[in-house]
Amino acid sequence: MSERRLLRVAATSARVIAGAAVATAAVIGTVVGIAAPWPQYSATPVRVQATPTPGDTLLACDGPLLALGRSADSAGSLSAAAAQQVVSGPADADATTTALNGATADSSGDAEALRAAPRDRLQTPLAAAGSATAAASDLIGFAASACRPPLAESWLVGGASTTGANDLVVLANPGDVPATVQLSVYGAQGVSSPPSGQNLVVPAGGRRVVPLAGLLLGEESPVVRVVSSGAPVHASLQATLTRLLLPGGADQVAPLAQADAHLVMPGVQVLATDASQAGTVLRLLSPGSDATATVTVVPNDPAVSAPAPTDVPLTSGLPTSLNLSGLAAGSYTVDVTATAPIVGATWSTTGFGEGADFAWYVPAPEISAPSTIAVAAGVGANLVIAGAASDTTVTLTPAGAGAPVTTTVAAGASVAVPVAAGVYRLEADSPVRAAVSYAGAGALASYPLWPADAAASALTILP
């Protein structure tokens, strides 16, 4: 072998040995590095706790009862049929009152809006309710309703668009910017989005009225979903009825804030017990899926026997009615539990002849914190409180002069407390549901009580 060839072999061998040594060292270094402890570093993110500044307490009232088509020149025009008397407070809320206009050509159809600024970084307690009595040849009846905060979405369960019904969807915007509203109607054919209910602009500080028959004609059991963008609105339903040219009552129906798997309607008055006509009817809708609802009717009088619960199958998107006319005359709480979120309300009437009136009993949400409530003027007013799973002590304190009234509600029972018109503070040692219910000669009405808005909780901000 030549000397040059020996040099090439030696150089190659050296490179192979060096490469192997480097690879071995790399492997050993990697293994040692993995096994050896590495420097640790941890940083706690900056967290800032901030409580949002509460906004104004804002309420919108339903306003006067409205009559449609009284003018011979304009069958579609609206006029005020009976003024609404509003009770509001407490006085130290320093609430300002403005008019919600646009329902009628003049100011007679205006409703009230109330606004109270926050105090001590807390929302100011404020409540209001109103009542109206109509006694005319084309409209008769007593209506009572609470003034409500506006909502981005709500449900109206009640009314009809059949012959004799002259019902109105009333939209009020107590805010500072316009709202655009979409109305969906659930009926016997399912849900529809009628053109007359789309892109309805409700100006700031204004009202807009839409006839229910213009949304879905000939419907016996409609349910209306109200969705607003731009600003929340207060939606309500004015229901009126005429039987054989005789007015058969009027009501202002409160909205439901959302569908729920548990609905409680306190203070349902069963007065008309004629077996040949439906004097008390429960309307239910499961908007999202098929469901089964269990209806339990609890008498307020413990001496009255409670009927057995009834299971009602619900088809998604189709309103269903249950006739409750077999009940004995008296006051009841209608309790409905379902396998899916539902909406519903109970209708009852004083009778079927001249001078009759009716009311829609809307589910009451749970009240778990002390809340300010308002009782509108009216005959036979009672605060009906439905208890929870355990005995509950409830205290009702007048906002002005007057001694507190304390009552105990047994588990699963209801209690009716006579009340005068005014503003009260309602406190309970466990969650309750409550409504103000009216019953008199030719006068029937009810509205659920809502809890006070909770104070804004602190937010955690991560910069």
Side-chain angles (χ1 to χ4, degrees):
M1 182 180 296
S2 66
E3 183 179 350
R4 184 177 296 177
R5 183 176 180 83
L6 287 173
L7 289 174
R8 285 200 303 269
V9 171
T12 301
S13 300
R15 287 195 296 268
V16 171
I17 293 171
V22 170
T24 302
V27 172
I28 294 172
T30 302
V31 173
V32 172
I34 293 174
W38 284 73
Q40 299 293 321
Y41 175 78
S42 62
T44 301
V46 178
R47 295 174 181 267
V48 179
Q49 294 287 330
T51 300
T53 302
D56 293 348
T57 303
L58 187 59
L59 304 175
C61 302
D62 287 344
L65 289 171
L66 302 173
L68 178 64
R70 282 184 170 179
S71 172
D73 299 332
S74 177
S77 64
L78 288 166
S79 57
Q84 185 180 52
Q85 180 183 352
V86 176
V87 173
S88 64
D92 61 3
D94 295 328
T96 59
T97 302
T98 57
L100 297 169
N101 52 43
T104 59
D106 57 16
S107 61
S108 64
D110 291 357
E112 290 188 14
L114 298 96
R115 183 189 295 266
R119 295 179 304 189
D120 301 326
R121 296 187 62 84
L122 295 174
Q123 222 172 19
T124 301
L126 178 66
S131 58
T133 301
S137 59
D138 61 339
L139 196 153
I140 190 171
F142 171 75
S145 59
C147 304
R148 304 290 190 192
L151 301 171
E153 178 181 359
S154 54
W155 297 82
L156 299 173
V157 183
S161 57
T162 51
T163 302
N166 205 2
D167 299 348
L168 306 170
V169 176
V170 183
L171 307 171
N173 178 9
D176 300 322
V177 297
T180 302
V181 176
Q182 317 294 334
L183 302 179
S184 303
V185 185
Y186 293 79
Q189 304 303 316
V191 62
S192 62
S193 299
S196 57
Q198 303 306 299
N199 300 318
L200 303 175
V201 177
V202 186
R207 298 209 296 167
R208 184 158 182 173
V209 181
V210 181
L212 184 60
L215 299 174
L216 187 63
L217 184 62
E219 183 55 49
E220 293 184 352
S221 303
V223 174
V224 180
R225 182 189 182 202
V226 182
V227 178
S228 177
S229 59
V233 298
H234 167 58
S236 63
L237 177 71
Q238 179 183 303
T240 57
L241 181 62
T242 301
R243 299 185 182 96
L244 300 176
L245 302 182
L246 295 175
D251 196 23
Q252 291 172 319
V253 186
L256 284 79
Q258 61 186 9
D260 199 323
H262 187 201
L263 307 180
V264 178
M265 291 151 266
V268 175
Q269 300 289 332
V270 176
L271 302 174
T273 57
D274 185 351
S276 64
Q277 301 189 66
T280 306
V281 178
L282 171 64
R283 182 180 301 176
L284 297 172
L285 168 72
S286 178
S289 62
D290 293 350
T292 299
T294 300
V295 180
T296 304
V297 181
V298 181
N300 288 356
D301 184 353
V304 177
S305 299
T310 303
D311 289 336
V312 181
L314 303 176
T315 302
S316 176
L318 298 180
T320 300
S321 296
L322 176 65
N323 189 350
L324 300 177
S325 301
L327 298 171
S331 179
Y332 296 83
T333 291
V334 178
D335 189 299
V336 184
T337 57
T339 57
I342 61 173
V343 295
T346 301
W347 176 87
S348 190
T349 182
T350 62
F352 305 97
E354 186 175 0
D357 195 18
F358 65 85
W360 281 96
Y361 298 84
V362 177
E366 199 171 71
I367 299 176
S368 57
S371 299
T372 301
I373 66 170
V375 178
V379 63
N382 282 283
L383 173 63
V384 185
I385 307 165
S390 59
D391 293 354
T392 304
T393 300
V394 180
T395 302
L396 191 65
T397 305
V405 175
T406 299
T407 186
T408 299
V409 185
S414 297
V415 170
V417 180
V419 285
V423 176
Y424 301 83
R425 180 178 172 86
L426 177 67
E427 298 177 81
D429 57 11
S430 61
V432 297
R433 301 172 191 259
V436 180
S437 181
Y438 302 81
L444 200 63
S446 176
Y447 56 86
L449 297 177
W450 288 9
D453 289 338
S457 57
L459 300 177
T460 300
I461 301 174
L462 302 177

